[in-house]
Amino acid sequence: MMELDYLATVLLSSLSSASILLIATIGLAVVFGLMGVINLAHGEFLMIGAYAALTATRYGVPFIFAIPIAVLVTMAIGAAVEVLIIRRLYGRLFDTMLATWGLSIAFYQLAVTIFGTVTPGIGMPQFNLKIGNYSLAGYPILMIGVAVLATLFVYVLMTRTVYGMKARAAIQMPEMARAIGIESYRVNTLTFAIGCGLAGFAGAVLLPIVPATPSMGFAFVIKAFLAVVVAGPVTLTGSALTAIGLGGGASVTASFLTSVAGDAFFFLITAFLLWLYPLGITAKWRSKM
């Protein structure tokens, strides 16, 4: 019975780690997967969301209300970035990468200047989940439900709303969309802002687990990019599968071996999947969401 309890603890903890990766990946799936924009500043938008939530809590705002504040702040900054920079670079992949890379450096240095290199966290809510003789912190386990709700939100937004239909039309067939009266520029601005807002949401909701620092986005952005690339054209469903599969597998490996072995598992399986499916695991799926 002890071994079963331990196995259940490892599996639940691994699912939690995979869900955290999925939360950090969803915004990238929107911007890169739907818009084709490689936003190398994605990790910095996650960092901005964390700092926005942290600053709000320092002014007495309850943490639960600091999260939507972080989303609004990152959406506003994302909209400004799209209008001032990204809009001029659609179709120029390399230029977009250079621009967002420079933006990430600027955001990082700005955060260092304002907040310093080390920032205290807000503390994790103290509730635990007991499995036999083992105990798990409750807040990371709560991220499983948060990841499910965030994925459902994006799916419904993109497939069941007028905005979602306009967004997909503006991205997939921009000339046709403009011909039938869809203002592609406004739709693209909102879509990019939503992707940045989702990154800000990730930074805010993960703040009790990952304290705000200027470099906190680095811990997520490489694995998030790889998850989206492996996912392929069916961005949302594929990203959910790859984040859970790769993130969960890496966490299980780390639990039984070492964290280095977990990272090695993640990158080796990613390389194998890209060799097996160069266009992503969902390249032959009929569905496109």
Side-chain angles (χ1 to χ4, degrees):
M1 184 63 70
M2 182 71 72
E3 293 301 321
L4 288 177
D5 290 344
Y6 177 70
L7 182 61
T9 302
V10 169
L11 291 176
L12 197 57
S13 177
S14 299
L15 184 57
S16 170
S17 298
S19 297
I20 290 171
L21 176 60
L22 178 56
I23 292 169
T25 302
I26 290 177
L28 192 62
V30 171
V31 173
F32 176 54
L34 292 179
M35 301 183 70
V37 174
I38 299 180
N39 179 17
L40 295 181
H42 178 78
E44 279 62 45
F45 278 102
L46 190 146
M47 174 265 291
I48 291 169
Y51 274 119
L54 178 63
T55 302
T57 58
R58 286 179 170 177
Y59 280 96
V61 178
F63 177 62
I64 192 69
F65 297 118
I67 295 174
I69 291 174
V71 172
L72 291 175
V73 168
T74 47
M75 284 187 70
I77 296 173
V81 167
E82 197 281 337
V83 170
L84 297 174
I85 301 174
I86 304 299
R87 180 177 295 183
R88 308 167 194 275
L89 300 175
Y90 285 121
R92 296 158 58 186
L93 192 62
F94 185 69
D95 291 347
T96 306
M97 290 172 63
L98 283 177
T100 54
W101 179 54
L103 189 66
S104 73
I105 295 173
F107 281 153
Y108 173 82
Q109 292 298 335
L110 189 63
V112 171
T113 302
I114 296 173
F115 299 102
T117 55
V118 179
T119 306
I122 63 171
M124 190 181 299
Q126 295 301 309
F127 62 99
N128 296 319
L129 177 67
K130 288 191 67 67
I131 301 177
N133 293 325
Y134 299 94
S135 180
L136 292 171
Y139 190 79
I141 302 301
L142 189 62
M143 294 301 100
I144 298 172
V146 172
V148 171
L149 291 176
T151 305
L152 286 175
F153 167 76
V154 175
Y155 181 82
V156 171
L157 180 68
M158 292 298 175
T159 62
R160 298 290 188 268
T161 65
V162 174
Y163 156 73
M165 289 185 285
K166 287 182 177 180
R168 285 181 290 145
I171 292 160
Q172 294 170 12
M173 295 177 289
E175 293 181 1
M176 183 68 74
R178 283 194 292 270
I180 61 174
I182 295 174
E183 297 184 39
S184 298
Y185 289 127
R186 288 188 178 183
V187 172
N188 287 341
T189 299
L190 182 56
T191 303
F192 190 83
I194 288 172
C196 294
L198 288 168
F201 170 79
V205 80
L206 297 177
L207 184 58
I209 302 172
V210 185
T213 62
S215 61
M216 67 178 295
F218 297 157
F220 297 103
V221 70
I222 295 176
K223 289 184 177 180
F225 263 110
L226 289 175
V228 173
V229 170
V230 172
V234 187
T235 52
L236 186 61
T237 308
S239 295
L241 287 175
T242 53
I244 296 298
L246 293 172
S251 182
V252 169
T253 304
S255 297
F256 287 104
L257 298 174
T258 64
S259 59
V260 174
D263 288 339
F265 171 91
F266 186 98
F267 293 115
L268 286 174
I269 298 300
T270 296
F272 175 73
L273 289 174
L274 287 175
W275 174 75
L276 204 60
Y277 304 100
L279 299 178
I281 63 172
T282 64
K284 295 183 180 180
W285 289 14
R286 292 183 180 180
S287 170
K288 292 301 176 187
M289 259 311 283

